[in-house]
Amino acid sequence: MKKNNQYLLQINNLKTFFYTLDGIVRAVDGVSLVIKPGQTVGLVGESGCGKSVTAHSILRLLPLKISKITEGEILFRRRDVKDTIDLVKVDPQGKIIRSIRGREIAMIFQEPMTSLSPVYTVGNQIIETILLHQQIEYNEAREHAIKMLEAVGLGMAESLIDEYPHRLSGGQRQRVMIAMALSCNPSLLIADEPTTALDVTIQAQIIELLKSLQKKFQMAVLIITHNLGVIAEIADEIAVMYLGRIVEKGSLQQVFKNPLHPYTIGLLKSVPMIGNQVKKKLAPIPGSVPDPLTAIEGCAFRLRCPICKQHECKGQKEAPMLEVEPGHYVSCSLYD
């Protein structure tokens, strides 16, 4: 992948493996991705395809004993020190990455109830983040925490700040997580399944909240989800991931209106539609995701791909990422 001088974060050929008793899991197997300042990039794919591991690799939050980044770069342009750093090369427990986590790159985790400590009030947890990265007094940090709770649409913030997480609804807890993530005004927000386990109306509220806060704080967002509806609402660029690899990427319009990879086409066909298409049957992707312990040479999707079977696809080798149209890339031997 060519170097992009306009990036905030650039991932080049990232490989993150897990070494288990049963074998090697190639969770992230050659991912390349660019996020520009102020841009929203959606990383979409089935559960277990490596989306969350990619996010955890960026922040170096991987379990040290069983995981390893074996190859690649994660180049990040730091805001305060005005330089570029390769996050792969930093100590995952060192001062440098600790100064970046929460302050320059923040993350909203999948399940707010397990991410928030049940024995501390929500205020204490937000204040701890603020005090860790900002040289201010406790009372000033508390006032800032109240303002952040108000910014994410939580009423009665002055009393809510002293509540424990179990006293809040799922939507309120997610808003608390967003307030905590944005408390230090990060350059990049990673949102890992931010609408999981929320009902449809709350999902819509959280997405609208993220969109408004992105404009207010002028930050870039990497949103990770398997929900194409969420991606359609918020993303500028989309990267489609399958079994540890990105198989297609482009703008929202390009990928949704002209999907190129058979996996992307299958994902879009499996989404329920309203209107004139309501009578059409859903077309599920055949087969199931291969065992992640099995090393697959070449195209990982070829065993499930109906187009490959019909056209004698050269799927025995991994296709390069080709630019089929300006800004629209696909990794599929049908386009060689």
Side-chain angles (χ1 to χ4, degrees):
M1 185 174 185
K2 294 181 179 180
K3 302 280 178 152
N4 188 320
N5 293 327
Q6 303 300 318
Y7 70 85
L8 173 66
L9 182 84
Q10 178 163 333
I11 302 173
N12 297 317
N13 195 36
L14 179 67
K15 295 186 179 182
T16 302
F17 296 169
F18 289 87
Y19 298 86
T20 70
L21 295 176
D22 296 321
I24 300 174
V25 177
R26 293 165 173 80
V28 177
D29 196 9
V31 164
S32 295
L33 192 65
V34 171
I35 303 174
K36 300 176 182 178
Q39 185 183 50
T40 299
V41 175
L43 188 58
V44 64
E46 293 173 89
S47 296
C49 71
K51 305 186 300 297
S52 294
V53 177
T54 300
H56 292 169
S57 299
I58 294 171
L59 283 171
R60 304 304 307 275
L61 291 173
L62 300 164
L64 297 177
K65 292 184 178 180
I66 64 169
S67 66
K68 183 179 180 182
I69 297 177
T70 63
E71 192 175 329
E73 298 176 312
I74 304 173
L75 304 177
F76 177 64
R77 290 188 183 276
R78 300 198 65 182
R79 177 178 58 204
D80 297 337
V81 294
K82 306 295 183 182
D83 70 350
T84 300
I85 186 171
D86 185 358
L87 298 178
V88 171
K89 296 179 180 179
V90 304
D91 181 356
Q93 296 179 309
K95 291 182 179 180
I96 294 177
I97 194 65
R98 290 204 306 267
S99 69
I100 293 174
R101 291 183 193 136
R103 184 180 184 184
E104 297 187 61
I105 305 176
M107 186 166 179
I108 304 170
F109 295 91
Q110 281 193 31
E111 178 48 60
M113 194 58 202
T114 56
S115 301
L116 293 168
S117 172
V119 298
Y120 293 99
T121 64
V122 296
N124 282 338
Q125 296 179 66
I126 298 174
I127 291 168
E128 180 184 20
T129 302
I130 297 170
L131 292 176
L132 181 65
H133 295 295
Q134 300 184 33
Q135 302 299 319
I136 59 177
E137 299 294 328
Y138 178 87
N139 289 337
E140 189 178 351
R142 181 180 171 87
E143 288 300 316
H144 184 50
I146 291 173
K147 290 180 181 179
M148 290 308 305
L149 290 174
E150 292 172 344
V152 297
L154 287 170
M156 301 179 66
E158 290 188 6
S159 59
L160 190 68
I161 195 172
D162 295 317
E163 293 286 0
Y164 288 88
H166 72 272
R167 305 261 305 177
L168 308 181
S169 68
Q172 287 176 318
R173 289 194 293 266
Q174 193 63 284
R175 288 172 186 265
V176 168
M177 287 295 299
I178 296 172
M180 187 186 304
L182 300 185
S183 61
C184 294
N185 192 20
S187 302
L188 172 64
L189 175 67
I190 301 174
D192 189 0
E193 300 281 5
T195 59
T196 296
L198 300 177
D199 63 54
V200 176
T201 55
I202 302 299
Q203 284 185 19
Q205 292 174 15
I206 295 296
I207 292 302
E208 287 302 316
L209 175 63
L210 287 173
K211 289 167 66 176
S212 64
L213 291 174
Q214 181 187 24
K215 291 180 181 179
K216 180 178 180 180
F217 291 96
Q218 295 295 306
M219 61 185 175
V221 176
L222 173 62
I223 184 164
I224 297 169
T225 183
H226 60 269
N227 189 329
L228 292 174
V230 169
I231 291 293
E233 284 292 324
I234 194 171
D236 303 313
E237 302 280 332
I238 303 175
V240 181
M241 198 167 182
Y242 183 77
L243 210 63
R245 303 171 185 172
I246 290 179
V247 296
E248 183 171 355
K249 55 188 175 183
S251 70
L252 178 70
Q253 297 287 335
Q254 288 172 330
V255 175
F256 271 61
K257 289 190 174 182
N258 183 32
L260 300 175
H261 197 279
Y263 178 63
T264 310
I265 295 170
L267 283 180
L268 292 171
K269 284 185 177 181
S270 64
V271 176
M273 305 293 289
I274 59 175
N276 295 331
Q277 298 180 352
V278 72
K279 295 182 180 179
K280 291 185 178 181
K281 292 184 178 180
L282 294 179
I285 298 174
S288 58
V289 179
D291 186 343
L293 290 168
T294 304
I296 299 178
E297 297 296 331
C299 176
F301 189 63
R302 71 175 185 271
L303 302 177
R304 304 174 65 189
C305 179
I307 298 177
C308 175
K309 295 175 182 177
Q310 295 170 7
H311 294 83
E312 297 181 0
C313 171
K314 299 175 183 178
Q316 299 299 322
K317 64 177 182 178
E318 184 178 359
M321 186 67 76
L322 298 176
E323 188 174 17
V324 177
E325 58 179 321
H328 194 178
Y329 297 85
V330 65
S331 173
C332 180
S333 59
L334 294 174
Y335 300 93
D336 280 354

